[in-house]
C-alpha cells in the first residue's frame, strides 16, 4: 500500500477547537452598545446551571435570567442589561489592535457549526478531502440574507465566512469561541474570602445634575463600582506583600482576607421627580438666560434647600431608611449566614449624604431613648425635632429633652431650644435595622447644619451637667476626707493615709450617637466641609484656641515630611504663646476658679481638705461621639505643591478615589484602630 504524505490544513478564527465549544455569555445596556463578555466565573456558573434558571453573578450584586435574556441588579436601581450567549461570532477588525466580535444567534450558529464539522471530517485521516466541502454553502435561518461557506486562502489556511446570498453586501469572517479576555476586578474578587462587612454609601448633592444625559460624569453607582474595585485591589496587593514577607521569613502565609461589599443608597430622584408639582413650578419660574448656571442651581443647590424643609427631609429619610432596611434583609438572602456569622454593617455619607446619615443615627438614638409609640397613627403634629424639644407642646420628652428632664432635680434647667436631629412633620415610624460598626462622613457640612439647628447650646448644656457632677463628686470626696481625718484617733495618727483620689473634669460634651465609631474626614480645601469637634467644646472657647484636626494617617503611617516640617514650625510659634491661649490653659483657668469657689468655706478649713478638692483635674481631649476613636475630625494630607484655591475645584469629589481614604476604610472594616 502506497501512503502519500499530506499536510493537515490550518484554521484561522478557531479560538476554541474543542469538540463542544464553551458558551460565552455577554451583556449590553442598549441595542446601540457593543456586547461585552461577562466574567469567566459567571459564564461557567451559567453554563453549569439548569437550563433557563436564574444565576447570581458579579459577587451576588446581580442576577442573570437567561429565560428573559436580562441581567437585573439586586441592590441598586440600575437599568437591566440585555443578556445573550454564543459559541460563534462575526469578526470585524476596526484597526490592527481592535477586533469587534458580535454574537451569532443560536440557530445560525448551529448552521455554521454543521458546515465547520463537515470540513473537519473531510480533512481528517478517513475523510474525503478538502475539495469535497469547499463548494458547500448553507443559508442562515435568522440572518436570511447571508450564507455560510468554507474559505481557503492562498496559504492553504481555512476559515469560515459569512457571505451575502446576492451580489451585494459585505462578507464577514467568523470565529469559533471568544478571544482570550479578562474582566477587571474578577481576579481580586474571586481570590478574597466571603463578605464579612457591608458598607452603605449615601450620596450627596448634585446627583440629578450628574445623571443628566448631557453630563459626562460618573454617577453614584459607577463611582461606587470604581471604589469597590480599588478596595479589593488594595486588599489583594497587601495580602500578596504579606505572603512574600512570610515566605522570606519561613513562616506560613496569612489567610486570604475577607471581602467588603459597598452598596450605594440613592435618594435624589425623590426630590427631583419630574412629576412633582414643586419641580414643575421650579422649572416654570427659572429664567432662560445662562441655562448652564441655572441648571446647576436647580439640580445642586436645590438639594440642600429642599432638605431644610420638614416635608422633603422626611421624604428623603424615609426613602434612605427604607432602602437600607430592604438591602440589609435582601443581602442576607443573597449571602445566607451573613448576620448569623457576625457580619458587620457600616455607613458612609458624602456631602449632604453625611447629614442624612447623622439624622438616621439621631432617629435611631431617639428610638432607643424614647417611649413614644411610633406605630400609633397620631393626628397631624407641628414639626417634630428629633433630638430636641417637641414643638407640639404635648409634654412628651424626646431626645435631649428627655435627658435634661432627668437632671432637673440637680438644679439644671431643661433645654428650651436647639436640636441635633432633623425637623420633621411627625416622628419617623422606621429606623435603620442595625447599629453601624462605624460611620464615616466625607466632605460633610454637618457642622453647619448643627449650628443652624442650635445644637451647640444643647451639647454645651450636656457638658455643663457633667462638669457639675465632677465638681460635686470632688466636693463630696473632700467632705468625706475631712470627716475621716477628724475621726482619726491618736493611735492611728501615725498610720499611712489613703492615697488622694483624683477627679477628672471633662472638657468635651458627653453627647453620643449609636455607632461603634464616628469619623469626619475632609479635604482642607473642600468648600462644603465643616468641622464637628468645636461644637462639642464649650461655646465660649475662641476659634483661635481650638485644637486643629488630626491628619489622616492610615496603616500606621506618619504624617508626610512636608507637613511634619509645617507642624514643627507651627509648634515652635505656639510655644511662645501664653498658657491661657491654649485649650488646656482655658479649662485650667476655669478649673482653678471652680476649685477656689468650692474652697471658699471659711478661713478655718483644713489644708488637707483643700488639697483633696484641688485634685479635680482637667480631662483629656477625648470626644465621646467618636466612640472607639478619641478624635472625630480628620484632615486629608495635601500635596507638597497644592494651591488651596485650585484644589477647591475638585476637593469635594476626591474622596472615593483617594488612596488614604481607601486605606482608612479598610482599617475600619478590618477592625484596626485608626486613632
Amino acid at each position: 500500500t502506497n501512503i502519500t504524505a499530506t499536510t493537515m490544513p490550518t484554521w484561522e478564527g478557531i479560538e476554541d477547537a474543542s469538540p463542544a465549544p464553551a458558551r460565552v455569555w455577554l451583556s449590553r445596556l442598549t441595542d446601540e452598545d457593543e456586547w461585552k463578555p461577562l466574567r469567566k466565573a459567571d459564564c461557567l456558573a451559567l453554563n453549569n446551571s439548569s437550563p433557563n434558571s436564574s444565576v447570581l453573578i458579579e459577587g451576588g450584586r446581580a442576577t442573570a435570567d437567561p429565560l428573559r435574556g436580562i441581567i437585573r441588579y439586586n441592590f441598586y436601581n440600575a437599568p437591566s442589561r440585555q443578556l445573550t450567549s454564543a459559541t460563534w461570532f462575526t469578526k470585524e477588525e476596526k484597526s490592527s489592535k481592535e477586533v469587534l466580535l458580535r454574537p451569532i444567534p443560536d440557530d445560525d450558529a448551529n448552521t455554521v457549526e454543521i458546515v465547520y464539522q463537515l470540513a473537519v471530517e473531510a480533512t481528517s485521516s478517513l475523510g474525503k478531502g478538502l475539495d469535497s466541502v469547499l463548494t458547500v454553502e448553507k443559508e442562515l435561518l435568522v440572518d436570511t440574507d447571508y450564507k455560510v461557506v468554507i474559505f481557503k486562502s492562498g496559504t492553504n489556511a481555512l476559515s469560515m465566512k459569512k457571505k451575502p446570498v446576492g451580489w451585494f453586501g459585505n462578507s464577514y469572517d467568523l470565529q469559533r469561541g471568544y478571544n482570550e479576555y479578562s474582566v477587571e476586578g474578577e481576579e481580586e474578587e474571586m481570590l478574597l474570602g466571603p463578605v464579612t462587612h457591608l458598607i452603605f454609601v449615601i450620596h450627596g448633592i448634585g446627583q440629578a445634575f450628574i445623571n443628566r444625559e448631557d453630563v459626562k460624569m460618573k454617577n453614584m453607582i459607577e463611582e461606587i463600582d470604581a471604589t469597590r474595585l480599588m478596595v479589593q485591589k488594595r486588599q489583594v496587593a497587601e495580602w500578596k506583600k504579606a505572603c512574600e514577607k512570610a515566605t522570606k521569613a519561613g513562616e506560613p502565609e496569612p489567610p486570604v482576607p475577607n471581602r467588603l461589599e459597598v452598596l450605594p443608597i440613592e435618594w435624589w430622584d425623590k426630590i427631583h421627580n419630574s412629576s412633582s408639582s414643586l419641580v414643575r413650578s421650579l422649572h416654570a419660574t427659572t429664567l432662560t438666560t445662562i441655562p448652564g448656571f441655572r441648571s446647576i442651581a436647580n439640580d445642586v443647590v436645590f438639594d440642600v434647600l429642599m432638605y431644610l424643609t420638614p416635608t422633603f427631609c422626611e421624604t428623603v429619610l424615609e426613602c434612605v431608611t427604607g432602602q437600607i432596611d430592604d438591602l440589609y434583609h435582601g443581602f442576607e438572602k443573597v449571602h445566607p449566614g451573613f448576620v448569623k456569622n457576625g457580619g458587620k454593617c457600616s455607613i458612609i455619607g458624602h456631602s449632604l449624604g453625611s447629614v442624612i446619615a447623622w439624622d438616621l443615627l439621631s432617629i435611631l438614638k431617639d428610638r432607643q431613648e424614647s417611649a413614644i409609640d411610633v406605630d400609633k397613627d397620631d393626628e397631624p403634629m407641628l414639626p417634630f425635632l428629633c433630638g430636641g424639644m417637641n414643638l407640639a407642646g404635648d409634654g412628651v420628652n424626646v431626645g435631649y429633652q428627655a435627658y435634661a428632664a432627668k437632671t432637673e432635680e440637680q438644679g439644671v434647667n431643661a433645654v428650651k431650644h436647639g436640636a441635633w436631629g432633623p425637623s420633621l412633620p411627625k416622628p419617623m415610624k422606621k429606623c435603620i435595622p442595625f447599629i453601624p460598626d462605624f460611620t464615616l462622613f466625607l466632605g460633610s457640612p454637618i457642622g453647619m447644619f448643627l449650628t443652624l439647628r442650635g445644637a451647640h447650646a444643647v451639647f454645651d448644656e450636656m457638658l455643663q451637667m457633667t462638669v457639675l457632677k465632677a465638681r460635686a463628686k470632688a466636693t463630696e470626696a473632700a467632705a468625706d476626707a475631712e470627716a475621716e481625718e477628724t475621726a482619726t484617733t491618736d493611735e492611728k495618727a501615725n498610720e499611712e493615709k489613703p492615697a488622694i483620689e483624683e477627679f477628672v473634669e471633662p472638657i468635651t460634651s458627653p453627647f453620643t450617637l449609636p455607632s461603634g465609631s464616628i469619623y469626619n474626614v475632609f479635604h482642607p480645601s473642600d468648600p462644603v466641609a465643616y468641622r464637628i469637634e468645636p461644637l462639642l467644646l464649650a461655646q465660649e472657647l475662641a476659634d483661635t484656641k481650638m485644637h486643629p484636626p488630626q491628619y489622616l494617617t492610615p496603616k500606621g503611617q506618619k504624617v508626610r515630611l512636608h507637613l511634619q516640617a509645617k507642624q514643627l514650625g507651627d509648634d515652635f510659634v505656639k510655644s511662645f504663646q501664653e498658657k491661657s491661649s491654649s485649650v488646656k490653659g482655658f479649662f485650667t483657668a476655669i478649673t482653678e476658679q471652680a476649685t477656689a469657689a468650692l474652697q471658699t468655706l471659711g478661713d478655718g478649713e483644713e489644708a488637707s481638705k483643700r488639697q483633696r478638692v484641688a485634685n479635680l483635674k482637667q480631662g483629656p481631649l477625648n470626644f465621646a461621639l467618636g466612640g472607639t476613636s478619641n478624635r472625630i475630625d480628620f484632615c486629608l494630607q495635601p500635596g507638597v505643591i497644592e494651591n488651596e484655591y485650585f484644589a477647591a475645584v475638585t476637593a469635594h469629589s476626591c474622596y472615593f478615589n483617594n488612596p488614604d481614604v481607601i486605606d482608612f476604610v479598610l482599617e475600619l472594616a478590618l477592625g484596626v484602630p485608626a486613632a
Side-chain angles (χ1 to χ4, degrees), residues 414-572:
V415 172
K416 301 302 181 184
H417 58 81
W420 62 75
S423 176
L424 303 172
K426 60 182 182 299
M428 291 276 292
K429 292 188 175 182
K430 293 182 67 175
C431 60
I432 57 175
F434 58 86
I435 296 177
D437 184 59
F438 70 84
T439 304
L440 177 60
F441 305 135
L442 300 174
S444 172
I446 289 175
M448 179 182 67
F449 273 74
L450 293 178
T451 301
L452 294 176
R453 292 172 179 177
H456 201 171
V458 181
F459 299 152
D460 201 16
E461 286 207 33
M462 286 185 172
L463 173 58
Q464 293 175 28
M465 293 175 192
T466 54
V467 167
L468 286 177
K469 287 181 180 180
R471 293 174 182 174
K473 192 173 182 181
T475 304
E476 182 182 355
D480 292 343
E482 179 188 12
E484 180 181 350
E485 291 176 0
T486 302
T488 302
T489 61
D490 295 337
E491 290 80 5
K492 297 182 179 180
N494 295 326
E495 292 183 5
E496 183 179 354
K497 295 181 180 180
I500 297 177
E501 183 179 359
E502 291 187 351
F503 296 93
V504 177
E505 178 174 309
I507 64 173
T508 62
S509 174
F511 175 76
T512 61
L513 286 175
S515 179
S517 56
I518 292 179
Y519 302 90
N520 180 38
V521 176
F522 50 87
H523 190 286
S525 299
D526 187 345
V528 179
Y530 286 78
R531 294 188 63 185
I532 296 176
E533 289 179 349
L535 299 178
L536 300 171
L537 298 171
Q539 286 184 291
E540 296 80 9
L541 192 63
D543 294 341
T544 56
K545 298 177 181 179
M546 295 291 178
H547 274 261
Q550 287 190 345
Y551 282 115
L552 190 67
T553 53
K555 299 171 60 177
Q557 300 174 1
K558 296 182 179 180
V559 177
R560 297 187 178 102
L561 189 60
H562 67 286
L563 295 176
Q564 291 184 36
K566 182 179 181 299
Q567 286 180 327
L568 185 62
D570 293 342
D571 292 342
F572 180 77

Side-chain angles (χ1 to χ4, degrees), residues 204-207 210 217-220 223-224 226-227 230 350-351 442-444 521-529 636 646-659 661:
I205 59 175
Q207 283 298 309
I210 292 173
M217 297 175 63
K218 285 184 178 179
N219 60 31
M220 179 63 174
E223 195 82 56
I224 294 304
T227 300
M230 285 185 64
H350 174 238
S351 186
L442 300 174
S444 172
V521 176
F522 50 87
H523 190 286
S525 299
D526 187 345
V528 179
L636 295 181
F646 290 147
V649 177
T650 59
H652 191 60
S653 59
C654 74
Y655 299 100
F656 290 109
N657 57 11
N658 185 284
V661 173

Side-chain angles (χ1 to χ4, degrees), residues 330-351:
F331 194 82
E332 173 68 14
K333 293 180 180 179
V334 173
H335 299 272
F338 170 74
V339 176
K340 182 180 178 181
N341 296 330
K344 298 178 180 180
C345 296
S346 297
I347 295 177
I348 295 177
H350 174 238
S351 186

Side-chain angles (χ1 to χ4, degrees), residues 70-91:
I70 62 171
I71 293 175
R72 61 179 182 274
Y73 291 93
N74 298 325
F75 303 126
Y76 38 85
N77 186 26
S80 298
R81 300 180 65 85
Q82 300 177 22
L83 175 69
T84 191
S85 63
T87 55
W88 282 90
F89 302 84
T90 58
K91 183 178 180 181

Side-chain angles (χ1 to χ4, degrees), residues 521-639:
V521 176
F522 50 87
H523 190 286
S525 299
D526 187 345
V528 179
Y530 286 78
R531 294 188 63 185
I532 296 176
E533 289 179 349
L535 299 178
L536 300 171
L537 298 171
Q539 286 184 291
E540 296 80 9
L541 192 63
D543 294 341
T544 56
K545 298 177 181 179
M546 295 291 178
H547 274 261
Q550 287 190 345
Y551 282 115
L552 190 67
T553 53
K555 299 171 60 177
Q557 300 174 1
K558 296 182 179 180
V559 177
R560 297 187 178 102
L561 189 60
H562 67 286
L563 295 176
Q564 291 184 36
K566 182 179 181 299
Q567 286 180 327
L568 185 62
D570 293 342
D571 292 342
F572 180 77
V573 173
K574 192 174 182 180
S575 66
F576 288 96
Q577 296 178 348
E578 295 181 355
K579 180 180 179 182
S580 60
S581 66
S582 65
V583 175
K584 180 177 179 180
F586 175 84
F587 282 102
T588 299
I590 296 297
T591 303
E592 291 172 354
Q593 293 176 15
T595 303
L598 289 171
Q599 290 177 343
T600 310
L601 302 175
D603 295 335
E605 289 286 338
E606 296 290 338
S608 60
K609 180 179 179 180
R610 292 197 299 269
Q611 181 184 10
R612 290 182 184 274
V613 177
N615 281 289
L616 183 64
K617 301 296 183 182
Q618 174 198 332
L621 191 68
N622 292 341
F623 294 91
L625 180 61
T628 57
S629 171
N630 294 334
R631 298 294 299 272
I632 301 170
D633 293 339
F634 290 85
C635 180
L636 295 181
Q637 301 182 57

Side-chain angles (χ1 to χ4, degrees), residues 28-35 82 102:
R28 65 181 181 184
L29 186 59
T30 66
D31 292 341
E32 289 73 29
D33 297 324
E34 300 297 340
W35 291 98
Q82 300 177 22
R102 292 191 174 94

Side-chain angles (χ1 to χ4, degrees), residues 6-55:
T6 59
T7 302
M8 294 295 294
T10 57
W11 283 91
E12 294 179 349
I14 306 300
E15 294 293 327
D16 189 343
S18 59
R23 186 169 290 274
V24 178
W25 293 82
L26 309 99
S27 71
R28 65 181 181 184
L29 186 59
T30 66
D31 292 341
E32 289 73 29
D33 297 324
E34 300 297 340
W35 291 98
K36 300 293 183 182
L38 304 185
R39 297 179 175 189
K40 293 180 179 179
D42 295 337
C43 291
L44 290 172
L46 283 163
N47 289 338
N48 294 331
S49 65
S50 302
N52 296 326
S53 62
S54 297
V55 175

